[in-house]
Amino acid sequence: MEAPTLRTDRLVLRPPLPSDADEITAACQDPEIQRWTVVPTPYRRTDAEFFVERIGAAGWASGTNCTWVVRTAEDGALVGAQGVALKADRPGTGEIGYWVAPGLRRLGYAYEASRAVVDWSFTELGLRRLEWVAYTGNEPSRALADRLGFRFEGTLRSYAEQRGTFRDAWIAALLADDPR
């Protein structure tokens, strides 16, 4: 699958490059990113390189994972990452994921980038269902999913593994024909 660059009013979403590794490493030192995602702890530069090469480039090449780094259009500052993991066992279904670097939260960037990814997922990938899954308690992520139009479907008990521990997770979904 060819990796597209997406643009919004304030942002550029493009596939991760090796030159992003240092900034990704710095951002992923944030305790909140480590708390709510599956990034390794401690997070090393080799983890960022793995993200760029195996999650990013290999994901696009295999058509299993669509991953972007998000940067400001104005000055190119790293905002975060966005992705859609495609579900091989459920055709037409993907799972959206995102993180935002500290200092750039609460500026509407996550909504703007997610909106572009949601629209692209339905129009370009032809998905029928896009899921959002987050560890219970991640209220900022849940608020964003709500704002994007995802409908809460429930709590999945002992669902997602994070560094050797299974945690409860919330799940919500947005269908291609749902209002957005």
Side-chain angles (χ1 to χ4, degrees):
M1 177 184 312
E2 188 172 330
T5 295
L6 307 178
R7 298 180 190 282
T8 69
D9 290 342
R10 303 181 299 160
L11 303 172
V12 176
L13 290 75
R14 63 158 172 74
L17 300 171
S19 58
D20 297 319
D22 287 336
E23 289 176 283
I24 292 169
T25 302
C28 289
Q29 301 309 307
D30 177 55
E32 289 301 296
I33 291 174
Q34 293 180 10
R35 177 181 180 191
W36 297 117
T37 72
V38 295
V39 300
T41 303
Y43 195 89
R44 298 181 178 95
R45 189 174 198 287
T46 55
D47 298 313
E49 292 166 351
F50 179 86
F51 173 77
V52 169
E53 296 165 13
R54 303 295 299 155
I55 307 297
W60 282 108
S62 67
T64 59
N65 213 331
C66 308
T67 304
W68 295 268
V69 292
V70 181
R71 293 189 170 274
T72 59
E74 182 179 337
D75 63 6
L78 178 70
V79 171
Q82 286 272 335
V84 175
L86 301 176
K87 304 293 185 178
D89 59 336
R90 289 184 287 134
T93 301
E95 181 182 327
I96 192 169
Y98 40 79
W99 58 260
V100 177
L104 294 170
R105 296 177 185 137
R106 300 188 179 275
L107 299 174
Y109 290 141
Y111 175 77
E112 194 172 323
S114 296
R115 187 79 184 166
V117 169
V118 165
D119 290 345
W120 180 86
S121 295
F122 288 128
T123 59
E124 299 303 317
L125 288 179
L127 295 184
R128 64 177 173 75
R129 177 181 169 90
L130 192 56
E131 296 175 343
W132 163 87
V133 178
Y135 298 125
T136 57
N138 190 343
E139 294 294 344
S141 186
R142 184 171 178 169
L144 176 56
D146 287 342
R147 187 169 176 214
L148 290 165
F150 282 77
R151 294 185 190 174
F152 185 73
E153 294 181 338
T155 300
L156 304 167
R157 298 180 313 138
S158 190
Y159 177 76
E161 185 178 4
Q162 183 192 43
R163 295 186 267 306
T165 302
F166 281 90
R167 295 182 57 184
D168 293 352
W170 289 325
I171 186 167
L174 184 63
L175 304 182
D177 57 358
D178 282 344
R180 303 196 290 280

